[in-house]
């Protein structure tokens, strides 16, 4: 007899680029969800730089893509050398400085973030090398394989079904965050559901 009992806990996979303010907003929501719902989250790196390779981009956005390699490379090296459990704390430390902190001095941000989470400064060197790019691209490709290449960050998968987003501002807290999670769980349970979207009229609200 087949066991059709639902698992006691949901599992979410969350792909992010630390340069993306919208991924940061969604990650704050996901962090809040963990406080109010029984869900385990596995954090993964993806790269807007990889996503936009070969695309015709405005000069300012191209400069951002070139600059954003450093942080995703350091995160990938951290995972490979010290374990995936360090990804979220390091992402939190990087993102707090970049997004609500409004800073763009990437190398200083990386140095401070490594100190904050107790990781060695030797990891900074990996931000300027391609030593772990194969692993970075594999993590990115895993997300893209789930949702297609017409998306950005974040990508969130619930029990294996993935979508780009959700995109929100500001990030809901408490039970409001939990209700949004419940809604995501509902739509991911519908095999034919693909897209729900409206034009953004506000920028990220870092509260």
């Amino acid at each position: 007899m087949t066991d059709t009992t639902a698992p006691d806990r949901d599992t979410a996979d969350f792909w992010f680029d630390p340069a993306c303010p919208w991924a940061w907003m969604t990650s704050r929501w996901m962090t809040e969800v963990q406080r109010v719902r029984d869900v385990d989250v596995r954090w993964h790196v993806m790269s807007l730089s990889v996503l936009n390779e070969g695309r015709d981009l405005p000069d300012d956005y191209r400069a951002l893509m070139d600059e954003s390699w450093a942080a995703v490379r350091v995160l990938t090296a951290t995972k490979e050398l010290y374990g995936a459990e360090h990804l979220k704390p390091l992402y939190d430390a990087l993102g707090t400085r970049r997004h609500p902190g409004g800073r763009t001095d990437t190398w200083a941000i990386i140095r401070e973030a490594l100190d904050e989470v107790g990781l060695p400064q030797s990891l900074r060197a990996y931000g300027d090398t391609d030593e772990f790019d194969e692993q970075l691209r594999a993590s990115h490709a895993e997300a893209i394989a789930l949702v297609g290449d017409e998306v950005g960050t974040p990508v969130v998968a619930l029990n294996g079904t993935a979508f780009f987003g959700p995109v929100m501002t500001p990030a809901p807290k408490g039970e409001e965050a939990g209700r949004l999670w419940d809604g995501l769980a509902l739509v991911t349970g519908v095999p034919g559901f693909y897209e729900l979207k409206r034009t953004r009229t506000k920028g990220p609200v870092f509260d």
Side-chain angles (χ1 to χ4, degrees):
M1 180 177 179
T2 302
D3 184 4
T4 59
T5 303
D8 292 334
R9 296 179 66 88
D10 288 319
T11 298
D13 290 278
F14 191 110
W15 283 266
F16 64 91
D17 184 319
C20 178
W22 296 107
W24 176 255
M25 298 301 298
T26 308
S27 74
R28 299 310 90 190
W29 163 71
M30 192 75 255
T31 302
E32 192 73 9
V33 168
Q34 288 186 277
R35 298 190 180 104
V36 297
R37 293 294 187 270
D38 291 329
V39 55
D40 297 313
V41 183
R42 298 180 296 206
W43 300 87
H44 311 271
V45 176
M46 65 183 298
S47 171
L48 289 171
S49 300
V50 172
L51 185 69
N52 285 289
E53 282 180 329
R55 296 182 179 179
D56 186 17
L57 302 173
D59 290 343
D60 57 344
Y61 194 69
R62 172 59 63 194
L64 174 63
M65 293 301 95
D66 292 343
E67 176 267 340
S68 68
W69 277 105
V72 292
R73 282 171 163 166
V74 170
L75 282 157
T76 303
T78 297
K79 178 184 177 182
E80 295 301 316
L81 297 174
Y82 293 94
E85 67 272 17
H86 294 285
L87 277 181
K88 177 59 162 46
L90 183 54
Y91 176 37
D92 289 345
L94 293 165
T96 298
R97 290 165 171 80
R98 173 174 286 276
H99 300 301
R103 292 172 54 184
T104 58
D105 50 337
T106 296
W107 291 104
I109 289 171
I110 291 172
R111 182 183 67 249
E112 294 172 18
L114 290 170
D115 278 344
E116 179 180 323
V117 300
L119 288 166
Q121 288 295 323
S122 58
L123 283 165
R124 291 180 71 215
Y126 292 98
D128 203 28
T129 75
D130 61 1
E131 182 169 345
F132 291 110
D133 278 11
E134 181 178 352
Q135 291 89 336
L136 168 59
R137 290 177 181 276
S139 180
H140 178 90
E142 186 179 4
I144 296 302
L146 291 172
V147 294
D149 60 4
E150 297 179 0
V151 301
T153 61
V155 170
V156 177
L158 170 56
N159 299 330
T161 300
F163 289 92
F164 162 60
V167 176
M168 66 196 72
T169 186
K173 296 179 174 63
E175 186 57 23
E176 185 181 357
R179 287 196 299 270
L180 178 57
W181 174 257
D182 297 340
L184 181 65
L186 179 63
V187 298
T188 57
V190 178
F193 181 85
Y194 289 99
E195 185 173 359
L196 184 68
K197 186 178 175 71
R198 64 175 175 168
T199 300
R200 292 194 301 265
T201 58
K202 295 181 180 179
V205 177
F206 303 121
D207 59 350

